[in-house]
Amino acid sequence: MTEGANAVVVTTPLLAHKINSPADIPPQDVRDGITRILALPEGHTRDVMLGSVLTGLLLRGPRLEEVEAAVQAATSLDRSNWDFHQPPEGMRFVGYTGSGKKTFKTINLSTAAALVAATGGAHIAKLGSRSASSKTGSRDFIDLVGATSDTMPHQEMVDITAETGFGFFSIENRVPEFDRRYGGRFQAVHALSLAFPALLSPVTCSAYVYGLSHPAVGASARLLSRLGLSDVTVINSSLGKAVQVDELIPGSTVRACRINAGDEDLTFNDEVRKGASSMPQDLMSVTQHEDPRENVAAAIRVLAGHDTSQARNAVALNAALLMVMSEAAPTVQSGIDTALTIIDAGAGLDTLQQFVRLTGGAPDKLRSLLRTVSPTALLVSPGNKEKAPC
């Protein structure tokens, strides 16, 4: 065995041992440790080491310096090949994505909300991937409605975003080297979930909204601010103490933390929570369906104005947040009012149809989804409401 190989074997476990100590871990040690783990041959040892370290870094705090170092190690595998595109001058793009791995599975609320916000004057760069733990991620939604995204150059998608207010940017091809070591191996939130997906946008955005399936929205927002996102809001909803969602769910325990130019916007955070509490909770209306097509069709029915359930409130609430971040609405409540008007008029569907057409997609697929979707049983118990500081 070579000296270099011995170094890997000896030093790789050290980070895992340090995680079990209450002492702070120097950021360089975190970076070096994760880099060495990612360099291990594919197999059980690498997967167990990576899972242990990423979970441990979350559970021991999270401590921002440590998680920041972990994110830097993960992005270093692919960052040198990243390209960045600029929106048209004077146009405010909002990047929008989530951590996934939520424990209460919903219909595609975030993508529907992005389309409603776009109809209301926002410009939303929806960042997404195929689902790892739900029936349909945002990329699955885009494919099922017949739009084209993978073969379209990023600059063309930027132009479509400028024209329609909505664009979809797959983040799966953004980190191929990291994904080769990571993809499909994690079903629960861990340290990288606090920031990693929000950093993968190929278009530079003025602001970002990040959904997190974990209560640590304050830590996540501060971490993303440290990593260069100057105006970022992180949101979370809890149903009881164990069930976490990376979207805003009306009537649930909602957390929001906005960091703008290094300062926390407490007024805005409170607005988001008040908006959620002003609406009744109806989990049945937003619970995902077993069949992926039915799951997407449920969101399409909201966009078309055909759904009179509380799902329209959930989409409106998330859209309102996006409109405020994009400066298309002055307050969350005014954004909710505007979003509900758009939903009831079916105008969000018009935006989606325009998007499918401009991407050179297949409109027949979208038309086939406009059908009645029967409700399904809840996948989880809603639990009890809890108080939620930022």
Side-chain angles (χ1 to χ4, degrees):
M1 185 176 290
T2 65
E3 181 180 349
N6 278 326
V8 171
V9 172
V10 171
T11 57
T12 295
L14 290 180
L15 179 56
H17 292 318
K18 289 179 180 180
I19 284 175
N20 293 322
S21 165
D24 289 338
I25 306 173
Q28 188 62 49
D29 289 358
V30 176
R31 279 193 295 271
D32 290 346
I34 290 181
T35 298
R36 291 187 175 107
I37 292 171
L38 290 170
L40 288 171
E42 181 177 355
H44 181 72
T45 298
R46 188 184 69 191
D47 293 349
V48 169
M49 291 296 299
L50 190 59
S52 299
V53 166
L54 294 182
T55 301
L57 289 173
L58 177 65
L59 294 178
R60 59 188 266 113
R63 306 182 192 188
L64 294 190
E65 293 82 1
E66 295 174 0
V67 179
E68 182 178 13
V71 172
Q72 290 169 342
T75 57
S76 66
L77 292 173
D78 299 283
R79 183 178 289 275
S80 62
N81 295 319
W82 284 359
D83 59 344
F84 291 94
H85 298 267
Q86 303 298 321
E89 186 175 354
M91 190 169 286
R92 184 178 174 88
F93 275 23
V94 175
Y96 183 32
T97 190
S99 67
K101 303 177 178 65
K102 53 196 175 189
T103 46
F104 169 62
K105 314 300 184 184
T106 63
I107 62 174
N108 293 85
L109 293 177
S110 62
T111 307
L115 287 158
V116 170
T119 309
H123 290 88
I124 308 300
K126 184 70 176 75
L127 317 174
S129 62
R130 287 192 173 90
S131 177
S133 58
S134 294
K135 295 296 179 182
T136 50
S138 55
R139 167 65 187 279
D140 302 296
F141 180 99
I142 294 299
D143 290 346
L144 285 168
V145 300
T148 301
S149 62
D150 259 5
T151 59
M152 178 164 292
H154 287 151
Q155 187 55 54
E156 289 188 28
M157 189 61 76
V158 170
D159 295 340
I160 289 174
T161 309
E163 181 173 348
T164 68
F166 176 84
F168 180 79
F169 300 85
S170 174
I171 61 177
E172 287 171 308
N173 297 327
R174 197 73 167 155
V175 284
E177 283 302 314
F178 175 76
D179 195 55
R180 187 166 62 84
R181 299 156 174 83
Y182 170 88
R185 293 173 173 84
F186 287 82
Q187 298 297 311
V189 170
H190 50 72
L192 297 184
S193 304
L194 295 177
F196 193 77
L199 300 172
L200 304 184
S201 175
V203 56
T204 301
C205 297
S206 301
Y208 293 82
V209 172
Y210 182 55
L212 178 64
S213 298
H214 190 278
V217 295
S220 176
R222 287 187 287 274
L223 176 61
L224 287 167
S225 180
R226 290 168 62 110
L227 289 165
L229 306 190
S230 61
D231 188 359
V232 59
T233 295
V234 180
I235 57 171
N236 162 267
S237 296
S238 292
L239 307 170
K241 294 183 177 180
V243 179
Q244 305 293 331
V245 184
D246 61 353
E247 298 149 332
L248 297 174
I249 304 297
S252 69
T253 300
V254 161
R255 300 171 178 86
C257 191
R258 181 179 187 179
I259 304 291
N260 189 1
D263 295 324
E264 185 175 346
D265 189 338
L266 296 174
T267 301
F268 177 77
N269 300 343
D270 191 50
E271 270 191 57
V272 175
R273 289 192 290 266
K274 285 181 177 178
S277 64
S278 70
M279 296 174 167
Q281 184 185 91
D282 179 8
L283 300 181
M284 180 70 76
S285 68
V286 298
T287 301
Q288 77 169 10
H289 300 261
E290 284 300 315
D291 179 76
R293 281 178 51 82
E294 288 191 354
N295 197 35
V296 173
I300 298 300
R301 288 183 63 231
V302 175
L303 292 173
H306 296 169
D307 192 331
T308 58
S309 75
Q310 295 299 328
R312 61 192 285 279
N313 279 340
V315 172
L317 177 61
N318 287 275
L321 170 64
L322 294 171
M323 284 192 279
V324 174
M325 291 294 288
S326 69
E327 299 180 353
T331 66
V332 171
Q333 187 55 57
S334 66
I336 291 172
D337 295 340
T338 298
L340 288 172
T341 299
I342 291 168
I343 290 169
D344 291 344
L349 179 62
D350 296 336
T351 300
L352 178 56
Q353 289 173 327
Q354 183 185 18
F355 173 77
V356 172
R357 177 177 58 80
L358 290 175
T359 65
D364 287 347
K365 287 188 176 182
L366 178 55
R367 285 193 287 268
S368 72
L369 290 168
L370 287 170
R371 58 186 175 80
T372 302
V373 180
S374 59
T376 58
L378 288 178
L379 300 182
V380 297
S381 167
N384 299 316
K385 291 182 69 176
E386 56 175 318
K387 295 181 180 179
C390 175

